[in-house]
Amino acid sequence: MFLRLTLVLAGMGSGLVARAQQPSVVQTVLLRDVRLIDGTGAGPREHVSLLMRNGRIDKIGGTEMAAPKNAVVRELVGKTVMPGLISAHSHLGLIVDDAESSATGYTRENVTAQLNQFERYGVTTIMSLGVNRDLVYELKKEQHEGKLGGATIFTAGRGIGVPGGAPGLPAAPDQIYRPATVDQARMDVDELAEHHADIVKVWVDSGHGTMPEMPEPMYRAVIEEAHKKHLRVAAHVYALEDAKRLVADGVDVLAHSVRDQLVDDAFVRAMKQRGVWYVPTFTVDESFVVYAERPAFMQTVFFEEAAGPKLMAKFNASEYDDKVNQDPQTEQHRKDFALGQQNLKRVFEGGVHVGFGTDSGALPGRIPGFAEHRELELMVQAGLTPMQAITAATGDNAKLLHVADRGTIAVGKRADLLVLDADPLSDIRNTQRIVAVYHDGLSVADLPGK
Ligand SMILES: [Zn+2]
């Protein structure tokens, strides 16, 4: 498994590729005799053949499907195909050199390298949920015109916090709105609408009383203004009481787990009745503490390639473990993680829409591409079945994003998919055994420079 993966990843590199410049890469590919997980939540189908043409799923049938002239045919008996992963909560350009947070990280070079990393790990679509410079709109446009590769970007643009409040990340002044008044907050929403942002992000969190928190009248105004402009609102949240007020005020997505206490039935009912999405992001809490525990996954090529040598050196330094173990916040992060896991089970069983995200890219330990596969594992650990976790990260997340052209494998959808060496329904960690990634029908490994 590692040999295969090493070959695949080594062949991909991280070069920036302009798709429009590639000679005749649009091809017809027949994937023959696979197990198909289609992202709808329906059971797997065996001995399926899939035809991809012009970036779309063109035909789905049995092993007898004839290959059109000039089609590339891949015999994949025993392999599993599933939709490309969608992260509804990630970030771009906040980390430099794979290892440090920096306010100077939001450059074309850095952002495109991260987009390429997401893509080669099978995360074919991401929502960059705030703290973006306006460069993000340019990059999105270039992707739309076929001039730029990498994971397809959706974005919340800068996002809206309050002065001195969350997010407490190093960021350039043109990377986040910090309105001091409700009127300014409304104007920030209007600017996001002019930029055609895909969603509005607000931060509602006092960091356990250490920072000013956005007051309710301000986020209520943001929600109202956004809805007027046909934009939805996703909220960074931590505490149950904030989450309840946001839901009552009409928020559309809670972009983290509730972690200060167990959610109650009234909250679960309100979430369900109002159709609010819940995105757990277990990676947030786990990433503060897990690397000091030296889990076995840190030894895998899959992890090491994603982390990169500088972050690996940081984790492997002897003072790293001491720093984590002596940090007074470490115990809090463990509690937050445990409560988040219990709360996912509660909201899921209560019939709330559960989406999928990681906060990857926000801090160095939230590693683009790796984090998404780990998050699937953590959702299963919290009590979802592998199929339920996969559906959250594919078909359901497309619904969360309001995009109908991806997330499931059906005729006419974008050909965004993973070919896996083993069945993730028997062990969710098998999503990491990637044989190939196709994005818009193109093999990521085949792209020149990758
Ligand atoms: Zn975030």
Side-chain angles (χ1 to χ4, degrees), residues 89-91 94 129-131 167 169 201 203 236 255-256 281 284 358-360 362 366:
H89 189 163
S90 289
H91 294 279
L94 302 178
L129 200 61
V131 208
L169 296 164
K201 168 79 177 282
W203 281 265
H236 164 109
H256 291 296
T281 68
V284 167
T358 55
D359 210 26
S360 54
R366 303 175 194 168

